[in-house]
Amino acid sequence: MQARDVKSVADAMAIIEERGLSHVKVGVFDNDGVMRGKYMSKSKFFASLEKGFAFCDVVLGWDMKDQLYDNAKYTGWHTGYPDAAVRILPHTCRDVVDEQGMLLFIAEFAQEAEVVCPRGTLRRVIEKADKMGFKAFGALEYEFFLFNETPHSIREKHYRNLETVTPDWFGYSMIRNSVHSDLYEAILSMGETMDFPIEGIHSETGPGVIEAAIAVDGVEAAADKGALFKTFMKVLAQKRGLMATFMAKWSGDYPGQSGHIHLSLQHQNGQSAFYDPSQPHNMSDNQRHFLAGQQQLMPEFLCMIAPTINSYSRMVPGFWAPTDATWGVENRTTALRVIPGSAKSQRIEYRLGAADANPYLALAAALASGLYGIEHQLEPQAQVKGNAYEQEHDASLALPATLWDAAQRFKQSKAAKACFGEQFVEHFAISREWEEREFRKHVSDWEMERYFEII
């Protein structure tokens, strides 16, 4: 049996017996899209397949540096950080790259914890789409920088004077991907092994930057693929003495790293819900309303798409990242890019997405806002033609400029509460407020250089 043939509890047990494994890997994704997990014994795993298992809910109550939120209601010192129920998802079974015979299973929080679980939040949006008569499909494409560094060396250098794996600006370089063919082929092979197949990969504009486009799938599976790609791309790099970063912007000298989201809808009969050749740009009424929902709610849902302090450093004019909730047809200066095509390829690219976003929450925001547009028959504002950075836009399309502002918009959004539930909105908003407060505790190099002597 192959790992991706596993669909049921019985299948999961059978493949473990067949491979003679004493342990398997199990992991969950936290608020920031970081995979937290462990090796689990066969006996424990078999019992957990049937009944679930317990995982300390601190995973939903701390940040990416394991620092505890001091403002959360869901969990904290006031609850004692109890165990939360977790379910293992047999159909997510995968081989693990460079671990011969080892299997990995994704799990998700269940019962009370499910309301704030990122994967559970996305699934509720997918269930909403299903009730509306749609199947949602998505694909993620990520830009990331590679460095000739290790976890130790970057700390010894205090994250300065880092050496990129290649120099200079050289996008779509056949020279780069040929000289480094072993690396590129290892990435492609990993994608096949772990079932996040890569449709295309190439050097991007900037030293050491690569873009990888993951193949389209149902939205839940697309999120799994994106989350696993980010996790194991870092693993692959570190095993080769390299480091990969998915920061939204690691240097002010280069463009930021995107995490563009491609979305489309089908009717339950398999026909495109976005394609209508009788309409301009082949845009069906559904696609137009979907686009309008994404445009209208982008400022309110921004902290799900741009969830870190660093996210907002990327959103500057002229560096391939949008600054307003604009849309255009085949226009890469806008936040939303309508891509006219066939019944199979007609879609929307949510270009605001950055590489640092949690794939589950980014897809949830992009999909939920579109469904909201269909449900409320919203109409988009006029499309942008030409360079969106040089044009004035309606004030309602302005995006929050900081993570704190984005969290406030999200916390107050009636649409967010309708789409994701009040408990999730409250919990995620406070986690973003925490992130901003942590940042404010620190003095930046820019402040020292600007103020130390002169002020």
Side-chain angles (χ1 to χ4, degrees):
M1 182 184 294
Q2 299 300 311
R4 297 306 287 141
D5 293 331
V6 172
K7 304 300 179 189
S8 66
V9 168
D11 290 342
M13 291 180 173
I15 193 172
I16 290 168
E17 294 287 11
E18 183 180 294
R19 295 193 180 189
L21 296 176
S22 63
H23 291 77
V24 296
K25 284 188 163 182
V26 180
V28 297
F29 288 93
D30 69 11
N31 278 343
D32 292 296
V34 177
M35 196 174 202
R36 310 282 186 161
K38 57 187 173 182
Y39 288 94
M40 186 181 286
S41 71
K42 181 177 76 172
S43 60
K44 172 72 172 177
F45 182 77
F46 280 8
S48 300
L49 278 171
E50 297 283 4
K51 300 177 182 177
F53 69 98
F55 205 115
C56 180
D57 76 357
V58 73
V59 171
L60 295 170
W62 66 15
D63 65 18
M64 65 188 73
K65 299 285 282 186
D66 297 0
Q67 300 304 299
L68 304 172
Y69 303 146
D70 65 3
N71 54 347
K73 290 183 180 178
Y74 168 72
T75 190
W77 292 119
H78 62 288
T79 67
Y81 294 107
D83 282 343
V86 172
R87 71 171 67 91
I88 297 170
L89 306 167
H91 68 277
T92 65
C93 177
R94 282 167 165 81
D95 292 302
V96 181
V97 67
D98 293 334
E99 293 191 44
Q100 187 64 38
M102 180 52 62
L103 295 171
L104 170 71
F105 293 82
I106 297 174
E108 63 183 9
F109 287 96
Q111 299 176 20
E112 292 180 8
E114 193 163 357
V115 297
V116 296
C117 172
R119 197 177 188 281
T121 299
L122 174 60
R123 193 179 60 258
R124 291 193 296 276
V125 177
I126 294 169
E127 289 168 355
K128 174 68 176 291
D130 185 66
K131 290 178 182 176
M132 293 174 66
F134 300 117
K135 297 178 182 178
F137 292 85
L140 295 163
E141 49 187 46
Y142 286 111
E143 294 170 351
F144 56 98
F145 276 80
L146 284 170
F147 298 85
N148 290 318
E149 303 289 351
T150 70
H152 290 293
S153 73
I154 59 171
R155 287 167 172 83
E156 290 165 359
K157 292 181 174 183
H158 301 287
Y159 298 89
R160 297 173 185 168
N161 303 314
L162 304 181
E163 180 184 324
T164 55
V165 74
T166 56
D168 216 342
W169 301 58
F170 203 178
Y172 297 97
S173 169
M174 191 61 72
I175 293 174
R176 293 280 189 259
N177 68 35
S178 298
V179 170
H180 297 277
S181 60
D182 288 352
L183 173 62
Y184 278 78
E185 289 169 8
I187 296 170
L188 292 170
S189 177
M190 175 178 65
E192 296 299 318
T193 297
M194 298 196 69
D195 191 30
F196 40 80
I198 294 169
E199 197 172 73
I201 186 170
H202 60 88
S203 64
E204 253 296 352
T205 300
V209 63
I210 292 175
E211 178 173 348
I214 304 170
V216 65
D217 208 330
V219 164
E220 184 177 79
D224 288 341
K225 292 175 193 291
L228 290 171
F229 172 77
K230 288 180 64 177
T231 302
F232 284 92
M233 184 62 239
K234 296 168 193 170
V235 172
L236 184 148
Q238 290 189 33
K239 285 190 171 185
R240 289 171 168 261
L242 305 172
M243 288 202 72
T245 184
F246 289 81
M247 283 182 68
K249 192 156 187 167
W250 78 275
S251 169
D253 296 329
Y254 311 116
Q257 288 89 266
S258 68
H260 296 159
I261 304 163
H262 292 255
L263 281 174
S264 63
L265 295 180
Q266 290 182 1
H267 296 292
Q268 297 293 354
N269 63 7
Q271 293 183 345
S272 173
F274 276 7
Y275 179 71
D276 183 349
S278 70
Q279 298 295 324
H281 317 300
N282 299 333
M283 286 178 65
S284 69
D285 291 344
N286 281 323
Q287 186 179 24
R288 192 178 72 255
H289 297 317
F290 190 93
L291 173 72
Q294 290 185 316
Q295 180 180 43
Q296 180 172 308
L297 295 181
M298 188 178 288
E300 296 179 30
F301 291 5
L302 182 61
C303 70
M304 294 177 73
I305 298 293
T308 72
I309 296 293
N310 186 245
S311 302
Y312 298 81
S313 297
R314 170 178 170 260
M315 293 186 289
V316 293
F319 275 91
W320 300 102
T323 53
D324 295 272
T326 53
W327 76 276
V329 178
E330 284 291 11
N331 189 336
R332 286 181 167 85
T333 70
T334 57
L336 297 163
R337 171 184 166 225
V338 173
I339 303 176
S342 64
K344 184 177 181 180
S345 63
Q346 182 88 12
R347 64 192 187 278
I348 295 173
E349 181 185 24
Y350 202 103
R351 290 184 56 79
L352 183 64
D356 61 350
N358 181 332
Y360 297 101
L361 298 184
L363 278 163
L367 177 59
S369 56
L371 295 174
Y372 184 93
I374 293 176
E375 188 175 30
H376 295 273
Q377 300 287 283
L378 301 181
E379 293 293 338
Q381 296 192 30
Q383 72 160 296
V384 170
K385 297 180 180 180
N387 188 347
Y389 300 123
E390 296 179 344
Q391 301 177 36
E392 293 292 327
H393 307 293
D394 189 273
S396 67
L397 303 181
L399 298 174
T402 68
L403 181 58
W404 182 270
D405 291 342
Q408 304 317 300
R409 289 289 299 274
F410 186 64
K411 188 163 63 173
Q412 296 161 14
S413 171
K414 293 180 180 179
K417 293 172 185 176
C419 290
F420 310 116
E422 290 192 21
Q423 284 182 275
F424 172 81
V425 170
E426 177 185 59
H427 185 70
F428 192 69
I430 65 93
S431 76
R432 298 312 95 188
E433 291 174 347
W434 164 267
E435 190 77 5
E436 176 89 15
R437 287 168 50 224
E438 286 294 281
F439 171 67
R440 294 296 173 196
K441 294 177 182 178
H442 299 278
V443 178
S444 69
D445 291 345
W446 184 90
E447 291 171 276
M448 291 295 289
E449 292 171 6
R450 189 171 185 86
Y451 303 127
F452 188 90
E453 177 186 6
I454 299 171
I455 198 69

